Amino acid sequence: LLGSKSRQDLAGVRVLVTAGPTHEAIDPVRYIANESSGKMGYSIARAARLRGAEVTLVSGPTSLRPPAGVEVVDVVSASDLHRAATELFEVADVAILAAAVADYTPAAPADHKLKKARERLDRIELVETEDVLRELSAGRGRRVVVGFAAETEDVVENAEEKLRHKGCDLIVANKVGGADSAFGSDTDEVALVSAAGAERLPRLEKAQVADVLLDRVRRILDERAG
Ligand code: CTP
Ligand code: CA
């Protein structure tokens, strides 16, 4: 079946994708995490591979099957994800950071299961995690860096602010929470926000969102080469 996406327009392009949540250990059985199924990041990895890219997927804990032909690096914590992504970025042309990285992690995770009857579980000291998107964007050079923003309100305004703060090339913004939440869904209604402005896409399958996003990435690569 040769659809339009059988074109190998990303052949030779090395794409790093992050996906899923991270788990920040409180003790061996408890953790802090963000809501994320990983479906969007996995769809992007699969779509990029189908278009000929060499894809590495840094994945937090999900229940998804790895896409065929994609190298998967499994991570658990934000610190693991930061380490893996930083190393792989060195040999990437494009980084698409779709992971829902925890913003804070317990300062001193316990090495044994905390017992609520006799140990403090109602206060956990947290420290901020490293901002992978911001760091990679700052050192990107000619590489293309794409971030995501899941917002419950003022989606485009928040994404424009995030684009400036993170310094990336593009933000994929979507609305979460409420009836039309993207979480766990196979469809998504997003806006692509860049310095040139915001483009709102209709509700699409995540595979289609991935292809529109990769069209944009292809264009940015062409502009930088030309
Ligand atoms: N991100 C990251 N490293 C972090 C936190 C976020 O790389 N420690 C990336 C995410 O993968 C995503 C983007 O930054 O591509 C935006 O994440 P988001 O949580 O929306 O932004 P924050 O800057 O963490 O702001 P907030 O959660 O307060 O909205
Ligand atoms: Ca965050």
Side-chain angles (χ1 to χ4, degrees):
L1 200 89
L2 295 177
S4 61
K5 297 310 182 269
S6 66
R7 65 180 187 278
Q8 297 288 293
D9 67 342
L10 294 175
V13 178
R14 292 165 300 183
V15 178
L16 164 65
V17 180
T18 68
T22 65
H23 288 182
E24 309 304 317
I26 296 168
D27 69 19
V29 300
R30 301 183 177 95
Y31 60 80
I32 297 170
N34 281 355
E35 183 67 44
S36 173
S37 68
K39 282 180 183 172
M40 191 67 241
Y42 275 61
S43 287
I44 293 164
R46 185 177 299 108
R49 177 65 203 144
L50 287 172
R51 290 166 69 156
E54 273 173 48
V55 184
T56 306
L57 175 61
V58 176
S59 177
T62 74
S63 57
L64 303 174
R65 279 205 300 165
V70 168
E71 187 195 342
V72 180
V73 176
D74 287 308
V75 296
V76 176
S77 67
S79 161
D80 297 341
L81 185 141
H82 174 259
R83 197 177 312 114
T86 302
E87 188 183 322
L88 291 162
F89 189 60
E90 292 295 317
V91 294
D93 302 302
V94 176
I96 301 176
L97 304 184
V101 183
D103 295 312
Y104 290 89
T105 193
D111 59 5
H112 63 282
K113 183 180 176 186
L114 297 169
K115 301 304 292 177
K116 68 180 175 189
R118 46 187 165 78
E119 291 176 288
R120 296 229 44 161
L121 269 169
D122 59 339
R123 296 266 194 290
I124 300 166
E125 197 194 328
L126 302 175
V127 291
E128 214 172 330
T129 58
E130 280 135 323
D131 191 326
V132 184
L133 178 58
R134 198 157 182 225
E135 262 187 47
L136 298 191
S137 296
R140 76 184 186 283
R142 294 166 70 87
R143 288 170 285 196
V144 179
V145 178
V146 179
F148 277 71
E151 308 286 351
T152 58
E153 57 200 356
D154 304 328
V155 176
V156 169
E157 294 74 10
N158 277 317
E160 283 167 344
E161 168 60 28
K162 216 156 259 183
L163 181 80
R164 280 191 294 275
H165 176 70
K166 305 280 192 174
C168 55
D169 296 293
L170 191 64
I171 290 270
V172 183
N174 58 22
K175 190 166 163 61
V176 296
D180 53 358
S181 176
F183 287 144
S185 169
D186 291 324
T187 64
D188 214 346
E189 193 176 328
V190 308
L192 301 182
V193 179
S194 70
E199 180 191 354
R200 287 170 203 268
L201 303 183
R203 178 158 289 278
L204 297 170
E205 295 288 320
K206 284 184 176 175
Q208 295 176 295
V209 174
D211 269 317
V212 176
L213 171 60
L214 291 170
D215 290 346
R216 278 291 202 101
V217 167
R218 179 68 265 176
R219 233 192 295 155
I220 299 171
L221 286 168
D222 291 340
E223 283 162 14
R224 294 215 173 137

